[in-house]
Amino acid sequence: MLRYYITDRHAAGGIEPLLRFIARALSDGVDYIQLREKDLSARELLSLTRCALALPNPAGAKFLVNSRADIALAAGAHGVHLPAFSIAPHDLRRIGQDLLIAVSTHSIDELQRAQNEGADFAVFGPVFSRKPEPVGIEALRAAARAVPLPVFALGGVTLDNTTECMAAGAAGIAGISLFQRESEQLD
């Protein structure tokens, strides 16, 4: 099971607590970390990305910067995470041939578009959460079958429903609170 941690410094309590959560996730062997700090200036996001990349990373987790290929390239991150209907992944590859590109999706049409435009993987949801309306486990199952692209379950994923997501065909799980908890750990 692949694990995709999406950061939220506001929920973490600031930059320093966020870096501690990232360090713990790296120590726990998470596979991907999306630096999703949309409201930081370019300079602040570059600094955060460099700090995160400097942390010990024993399992070789890949770092993706939310929507900012320029920051990803400048910091030496592994890739970028794009919202649905953003620039096409194949267009981004013109400036960063080796960029790992993930895309947020909410429907099979968006998944197929991500696949056709050259994304490396996609997150799909929200599967369980109430904001917006959850798509449900059957929609995740259909999404995982619709494309050969690895699909990560997102939205209300918890330790209790991870097995259900994997049984539905998800390549992995993604989330914020799933990884930004003080006491729970995901193995």
Side-chain angles (χ1 to χ4, degrees), residues 39-166:
D39 60 336
L40 288 179
S41 70
R43 183 179 305 274
E44 292 167 324
L45 183 57
L46 179 62
S47 176
L48 172 62
T49 304
R50 286 179 173 158
C51 286
L53 286 166
L55 294 169
N57 187 358
K62 306 288 189 230
F63 282 87
L64 292 90
V65 179
N66 193 77
S67 298
R68 296 294 305 259
D70 58 335
I71 300 294
L73 289 167
H78 304 94
V80 64
H81 184 102
L82 302 174
F85 301 106
S86 182
I87 186 170
H90 57 71
D91 288 334
L92 266 184
R93 292 199 197 283
R94 294 179 187 166
I95 60 167
Q97 198 69 30
D98 296 327
L99 277 178
L100 182 64
I101 302 174
V103 177
S104 290
T105 63
H106 310 89
S107 69
I108 290 176
D109 287 344
E110 289 177 8
L111 267 172
Q112 290 170 333
R113 181 173 183 246
Q115 169 73 37
N116 294 339
E117 291 182 348
D120 294 298
F121 65 91
V123 296
F124 179 81
V127 178
F128 302 107
S129 70
R130 293 172 285 166
K131 185 182 124 182
E133 193 66 30
V135 296
I137 199 72
E138 289 308 315
L140 175 62
R141 186 180 320 282
R145 290 181 180 157
V147 293
L149 194 67
V151 175
F152 286 70
L154 173 69
V157 177
T158 65
L159 295 175
D160 294 332
N161 62 29
T162 295
T163 303
E164 190 177 2
C165 294
M166 301 310 294

Side-chain angles (χ1 to χ4, degrees), residues 3-7 18 21-22 25 30 32-34 175 179-180:
R3 296 169 298 158
Y4 188 76
Y5 167 30
I6 302 166
T7 69
L18 176 64
F21 279 119
I22 292 171
V30 73
Y32 301 98
I33 296 177
Q34 176 190 343
F179 298 97
Q180 285 189 185

